[in-house]
Amino acid sequence: MSARILIVDDMPVNLRLMQAQLAEEYYDVLLATSGQEALDICGREMIDLVLLDVMMPGMDGFEVCRRLKSDPRTMHLPVVLVTALDQQQDRVRGLEAGADDFLTKPVRGLPLFSRIRSLTRLKMLTDELRMRAETSTKLTAALQPPPPLDSGLKGRVYAILDASDQSQRLARLIGTEHNLIAMSEPDAAVQTTETVDLFIIDLRSTGFDPLRLCSRLRSQEATRQIPILLLAAPEDEARVGRGLELGANDYCQTPLDKNELLARIRTQVRRRRYDEGLRRSFQSTLELAITDPLTGLHNRRFFDTHLRPLIDQSRQSGRPLCVMMLDIDHFKHINDAFGHDAGDEVLRQFAHHILANSRGSDLAARMGGEEFALLMPDLSEDEALQAADRLREVIAASPFGAGDKELPVTASFGLAMWAGEEPREFLKRADLALYQAKREGRNRVVRSTLTSMVQL
């Protein structure tokens, strides 16, 4: 996954070295030589992550970080402080300023790229939640401010550890700032029905596989959005990197420093509550205005309003954007032969298959009648084609229940990759590809290009 990264350092040689390191991994890199220049760039450009030197003349990195985190436009921009300072109080000072992590020079590739991938993945999720909240505000003309940043205190923290003495040490460090629930059985964490703000997992555990537990927590619907903080020894760098790849949000090295541990916990609890606030606000205030009541998907109104910001984002970032149009084959025959109740049940189950076979960042909508659409950001053309054909196969192989009957259902698909045109023309190309699929026999995927139609 690529990202747009701003490097801030007053030393040209440091800028060039870091730029070369990131360019080798195909990141889009911007450069700034002062704190004020960094603030200006973040205010006008779309940035995914800031690598910020601490020791700069005029405005140091701590102050730049504080200003970024206090500005509503940039408060959720991940910031990694990069410095030669290696004292514990410096790390805590950076975390208290709002930094997401603190890397010590010389920066090695493994921790650098592990943090970049982890933080940009989290930012993409928050960006999508914020964009949907902004779209909702436009639709209802409700001037609702985003949820305020929480203090990050009094979190409900689950710690999965091997031994009771580890739990006692952790409890002493956390004190009364959070509600700590310690356990030694991973299944208890995965199957919990309680509200949880943070999971803490000790990578040194031998009674269970900590990395497999990270994977399980991320694969379960109930726990996939709950942040994970890893505890790791300094020499366990490779496993930390693997944990971040599997979905962990942060890590803290042993021996644990109380102030650093508490700062990292507060950061994760604060982000968790903010994202949950966005979700609740979005769901509670706009469900009726933007949701198709039969299928539970977004309606055409929301889809059209949301499309423009996604196109603008794609234009600025250079990332791909695909739209998939879907239409149930011979749907009129289903209504005529089995009744409208059966037709409604087919529509509901069809929508369920779309949601079950799409990503969290995709946007599914019922456009009207038996026609549906799926917006898919950050997918290459080949990946979009594979996703469409996989969904087509799932639908064709799934029996659709209507009362005591099972109805065979297929669908036709039209795909278009955004190519710089206006939203109406973008959708029109996908519609034309859909009509082509129907003319050629239905139950197939046709991809639109600017000059031709290509059947899958």
Side-chain angles (χ1 to χ4, degrees), residues 28-185:
D28 184 15
V29 178
L30 284 76
L31 305 177
T33 57
S34 70
Q36 187 58 55
E37 185 182 6
L39 294 174
D40 293 341
I41 291 174
C42 291
R44 68 172 185 266
E45 300 280 350
M46 192 179 75
I47 304 296
D48 292 309
L49 183 139
V50 180
L51 292 173
L52 177 60
D53 186 38
V54 170
M55 304 299 292
M56 295 187 295
M59 188 189 307
D60 66 16
F62 295 127
E63 179 61 24
V64 175
C65 185
R66 276 191 289 270
R67 295 194 186 189
L68 287 172
K69 295 297 183 175
S70 64
D71 187 335
R73 299 172 301 168
T74 58
M75 62 194 298
H76 303 291
L77 182 59
V79 177
V80 177
L81 294 176
V82 182
T83 180
L85 300 175
D86 60 358
Q87 296 300 308
Q88 196 68 43
Q89 59 265 32
D90 297 316
R91 297 175 65 86
V92 174
R93 185 182 174 193
L95 294 168
E96 293 290 355
D100 295 86
D101 208 348
F102 196 105
L103 297 178
T104 304
K105 296 179 180 178
V107 179
R108 288 167 292 115
L110 180 60
L112 173 64
F113 292 119
S114 294
R115 296 309 283 142
I116 288 175
R117 285 189 287 268
S118 174
L119 290 170
T120 53
R121 181 179 65 244
L122 292 169
K123 179 179 180 290
M124 283 181 63
L125 175 61
T126 300
D127 283 348
E128 180 62 24
L129 289 171
R130 294 181 70 198
M131 185 181 296
R132 293 189 184 188
E134 290 168 4
T135 301
S136 303
T137 299
K138 293 176 185 176
L139 285 172
T140 60
L143 300 177
Q144 297 183 1
L149 276 183
D150 187 86
S151 65
L153 300 176
K154 300 300 179 183
R156 188 175 177 86
V157 179
Y158 274 30
I160 304 94
L161 309 166
D162 259 347
S164 59
D165 59 333
Q166 293 174 313
S167 304
Q168 293 168 4
R169 284 196 297 270
L170 192 60
R172 284 195 299 269
L173 291 173
I174 293 177
T176 60
E177 189 163 307
H178 301 280
N179 181 18
L180 180 69
I181 298 94
M183 57 188 66
S184 58
E185 291 296 329

Side-chain angles (χ1 to χ4, degrees), residues 345-389:
E345 185 57 32
V346 166
L347 290 171
R348 280 190 286 265
Q349 294 177 37
F350 190 84
H352 169 77
H353 285 303
I354 295 175
L355 288 178
N357 292 275
S358 58
R359 305 169 301 163
S361 57
D362 297 336
L363 176 68
R366 183 185 178 196
M367 305 298 278
E370 67 271 26
E371 187 174 55
F372 296 78
L374 188 66
L375 275 172
M376 301 182 293
D378 294 304
L379 276 188
S380 69
E381 192 167 39
D382 286 344
E383 289 171 333
L385 285 168
Q386 291 170 10
D389 202 50

Side-chain angles (χ1 to χ4, degrees), residues 2 9 25 67 73 116 123 133 135 225 233 267 297 318 332 347 368 372 376 381 415 429 440:
S2 186
D9 199 309
E25 298 294 324
R67 295 194 186 189
R73 299 172 301 168
I116 288 175
K123 179 179 180 290
T135 301
Q225 305 298 345
T267 296
L297 300 182
K332 185 177 183 301
L347 290 171
F372 296 78
M376 301 182 293
E381 192 167 39
L415 278 178
R429 286 199 294 115
E440 294 180 358

Side-chain angles (χ1 to χ4, degrees), residues 147-418:
L149 276 183
D150 187 86
S151 65
L153 300 176
K154 300 300 179 183
R156 188 175 177 86
V157 179
Y158 274 30
I160 304 94
L161 309 166
D162 259 347
S164 59
D165 59 333
Q166 293 174 313
S167 304
Q168 293 168 4
R169 284 196 297 270
L170 192 60
R172 284 195 299 269
L173 291 173
I174 293 177
T176 60
E177 189 163 307
H178 301 280
N179 181 18
L180 180 69
I181 298 94
M183 57 188 66
S184 58
E185 291 296 329
D187 287 345
V190 175
Q191 298 170 7
T192 182
T193 58
E194 301 288 338
T195 299
V196 182
D197 292 306
L198 175 69
F199 288 114
I200 295 179
I201 300 175
D202 192 346
L203 278 180
R204 301 163 299 173
S205 298
T206 57
F208 61 91
D209 185 341
L211 293 179
R212 184 169 298 280
L213 177 56
C214 288
S215 176
R216 290 180 66 192
L217 290 172
R218 283 294 168 261
S219 66
Q220 299 291 325
E221 179 66 29
T223 58
R224 65 177 45 169
Q225 305 298 345
I226 301 173
I228 298 172
L229 175 68
L230 302 175
L231 306 181
E235 64 271 14
D236 215 6
E237 190 176 89
R239 280 165 59 80
V240 167
R242 182 61 175 152
L244 294 172
E245 290 288 336
L246 289 170
N249 301 66
D250 199 3
Y251 66 96
C252 199
Q253 287 188 348
T254 56
L256 298 174
D257 175 82
K258 177 177 181 176
N259 292 327
E260 180 181 353
L261 175 66
L262 291 176
R264 292 187 184 276
I265 291 176
R266 283 194 297 271
T267 296
Q268 296 306 321
V269 171
R270 189 182 299 124
R271 179 182 290 129
R272 158 74 170 168
R273 290 173 177 171
Y274 181 83
D275 286 353
E276 282 301 300
L278 286 176
R279 290 189 183 95
R280 286 194 300 269
S281 174
F282 173 73
Q283 292 169 359
S284 64
T285 61
L286 290 166
E287 198 168 76
L288 294 178
I290 64 174
T291 304
D292 172 59
L294 178 64
T295 63
L297 300 182
H298 294 299
N299 59 20
R300 176 66 184 261
R301 183 184 183 192
F302 182 87
F303 182 92
D304 289 342
T305 307
H306 194 63
L307 178 58
R308 169 62 73 178
L310 274 181
I311 284 179
D312 291 342
Q313 186 181 78
S314 185
R315 180 182 289 113
Q316 292 179 33
S317 66
R319 294 171 181 165
L321 175 64
C322 176
V323 62
M324 177 196 301
M325 305 298 292
L326 312 81
D327 192 275
I328 300 175
D329 296 331
H330 303 295
F331 185 71
K332 185 177 183 301
H333 171 73
I334 295 174
N335 275 336
D336 291 345
F338 302 99
H340 288 279
D341 288 344
D344 288 349
E345 185 57 32
V346 166
L347 290 171
R348 280 190 286 265
Q349 294 177 37
F350 190 84
H352 169 77
H353 285 303
I354 295 175
L355 288 178
N357 292 275
S358 58
R359 305 169 301 163
S361 57
D362 297 336
L363 176 68
R366 183 185 178 196
M367 305 298 278
E370 67 271 26
E371 187 174 55
F372 296 78
L374 188 66
L375 275 172
M376 301 182 293
D378 294 304
L379 276 188
S380 69
E381 192 167 39
D382 286 344
E383 289 171 333
L385 285 168
Q386 291 170 10
D389 202 50
R390 184 167 56 248
L391 178 56
R392 181 194 64 79
E393 291 177 348
V394 166
I395 290 169
S398 301
F400 283 67
D404 58 351
K405 304 179 181 65
E406 286 193 353
L407 311 179
V409 173
T410 62
S412 300
F413 293 71
L415 278 178
M417 300 295 296
W418 182 68

